[in-house]
Amino acid sequence: MSLAPPKITCLFFTDPSLPAFLRTPAGQSLAGDLLVECAPHPGLGYVLNLETPANYPGVAGLLGGVDIGTLAHPTDALPAPILLAPGAPVSALALRAALARLLRPDDRLPTITLLVPVGDARLFGAALALADRFALAWDAAAFPHDDLLDFARWLVAEKLLTAGNFAGLFAYVTTPPTAAHAQRLAGLLAPLGTRLLTVSP
């Protein structure tokens, strides 16, 4: 009996505090068996206190035949091992091509989650269409930057999301907001059918 390709979730995120969200029940439901940081340079490794050597290729290592188990880092700070971003900049061409290698059947990995910073989504472009579902984790305590608006415009233009593949917007904070800010956020999130989560950093 042949193996099926893994089911892939694409989780866009706005802040390096993402690991705190991934430890919540909502985050764990999106995490899968392997997390893949889709970025051209290190980001989450700093938060996780994981060293990324300059010769670590990230997901691009799959192009050279490196086993995915060798590239992944297990950590108690996450619900699944993570394949971190490369230690030195890698071309967008190589990163996009490497994503397709994740579709190869692997009995160790029935589900994979791509972790895509909103500021790097455009770099991956249509290569992200391989995902079966999409979600957005928003740290509502951080001030929104231009890249969040650019991301929203890009997302509309790419037409990746449908009613059937959108797994939701997840707004969270790692410290309780002031009452006034919490009220503003509740009013903003209610029409979207979601609520604010307070998570442990």
Side-chain angles (χ1 to χ4, degrees):
M1 179 177 173
S2 61
L3 290 172
K7 294 292 184 183
I8 296 183
T9 297
C10 178
L11 178 59
F12 298 109
F13 67 97
T14 64
D15 193 86
S17 62
L18 179 70
F21 166 71
L22 289 172
R23 292 192 295 269
T24 69
Q28 289 175 17
S29 72
L30 299 169
D33 301 292
L34 176 72
L35 302 166
V36 180
E37 184 182 11
C38 295
H41 40 72
L44 295 177
Y46 296 113
V47 179
L48 297 167
N49 202 23
L50 293 173
E51 184 179 352
T52 310
N55 64 349
Y56 176 74
V59 70
L62 299 178
L63 295 174
V66 179
D67 182 70
I68 201 164
T70 303
L71 294 169
H73 295 269
T75 170
D76 291 339
L78 291 171
I82 185 168
L83 199 162
L84 294 166
V90 172
S91 77
L93 182 68
L95 291 171
R96 288 192 293 260
L99 289 187
R101 300 292 177 99
L102 294 172
L103 289 172
R104 292 180 174 175
D106 187 328
D107 59 3
R108 299 169 295 178
L109 303 171
T111 57
I112 294 173
T113 298
L114 309 179
L115 306 177
V116 184
V118 295
D120 292 320
R122 187 181 297 272
L123 180 145
F124 287 91
L128 297 174
L130 58 77
D132 299 286
R133 63 177 180 163
F134 297 85
L136 173 62
W138 173 41
D139 185 338
F143 290 107
H145 297 281
D146 287 346
D147 59 1
L148 187 57
L149 294 175
D150 290 341
F151 166 75
R153 295 186 193 104
W154 170 83
L155 198 57
V156 170
E158 283 289 340
K159 298 182 175 151
L160 289 174
L161 300 187
T162 67
N165 69 16
F166 185 54
L169 164 67
F170 298 87
Y172 68 94
V173 291
T174 54
T175 55
T178 64
H181 188 46
Q183 188 173 10
R184 284 193 297 269
L185 288 171
L188 179 67
L189 296 171
L192 302 173
T194 190
R195 61 185 179 81
L196 186 67
L197 300 173
T198 300
V199 302
S200 300

